[in-house]
Amino acid sequence: YDLIDFAGNLVCAISTDLSRLVAGVWTGAWWTSLTGASALQALPHRFKIFEGALVFTDGRFINDYDGTIARDPALTLPVGFEARWLLVWRDLLFIGGANTSGGEAEVYTWRRSLGNYESRFPIGDTEALCGFVIDVPYIITKKGEIKKYTGAGFETVQQFPTTELRLNIRFIHPNGVSVTG
């Protein structure tokens, strides 16, 4: 699902665990052996480095590892939410994804020092497909709306033709937006 270099080691998400490559040797079930926790959910696991720690998604849970302490979970989000991407902006982690029960999804913000999420912002759709930064965070919703973070929520600034046609965007990879220049 995702790869990341953390502390000079390659960490790779596999179906229900994380593997780690150290000095040319893979540890296949590295996360469960590190934490002693049960296997991860068979969902995509997306990585970010945030406040010096490796942070990753696991359904409605966010796990972290600072090189010494592993927390599984470090953050628990509401039932019915599935985290599908992470975005670091300033001193906040933005967590986006889908409402798995079909209701309105929200984007959550978090600081690792907090035991709970800091804020949550409704997005007007069932899923935020991805997030990216152009000075401030932006998201793309399943309906095709491009929304800009205002500090108090997300407002639509542009849209894909799918919005007017009342169609949904089927897929944008969570890491599939590149901002250049």
Side-chain angles (χ1 to χ4, degrees), residues 13-165:
I14 56 177
S15 181
T16 59
D17 212 320
L18 303 182
S19 295
R20 184 173 75 157
L21 179 65
V22 178
V25 178
W26 281 102
T27 301
W30 171 71
W31 184 253
T32 54
S33 65
L34 176 70
T35 62
S38 59
L40 302 174
Q41 297 178 64
L43 296 167
H45 308 292
R46 304 292 179 204
F47 298 122
K48 281 294 178 206
I49 295 175
F50 177 56
E51 296 181 346
L54 173 65
V55 179
F56 67 95
T57 63
D58 183 29
R60 71 185 187 108
F61 305 108
I62 305 298
N63 300 329
D64 68 3
Y65 175 63
D66 66 6
T68 304
I69 299 170
R71 298 188 299 173
D72 184 351
L75 174 66
T76 301
L77 296 165
V79 172
F81 179 77
E82 184 180 302
R84 296 186 177 167
W85 54 264
L86 303 169
L87 173 71
V88 176
W89 182 65
R90 297 184 178 169
D91 61 346
L92 289 172
L93 182 71
F94 283 71
I95 305 160
N99 183 321
T100 58
S101 61
E104 183 176 21
E106 296 174 309
V107 171
Y108 297 86
T109 61
W110 181 54
R111 297 172 204 275
R112 284 188 61 242
S113 60
L114 299 178
N116 202 355
Y117 58 86
E118 184 169 296
S119 301
R120 64 185 189 184
F121 304 103
I123 64 163
D125 201 349
T126 60
E127 184 175 356
L129 297 170
C130 64
F132 57 96
V133 173
I134 304 175
D135 297 324
V136 298
Y138 286 77
I139 63 170
I140 299 176
T141 69
K142 192 171 188 167
K143 290 179 185 172
E145 295 176 321
I146 301 169
K147 296 187 172 208
K148 178 181 181 178
Y149 179 64
T150 65
F154 288 89
E155 69 178 29
T156 302
V157 295
Q158 193 57 265
Q159 62 190 24
F160 288 95
T162 52
T163 305
E164 293 172 359
L165 297 171

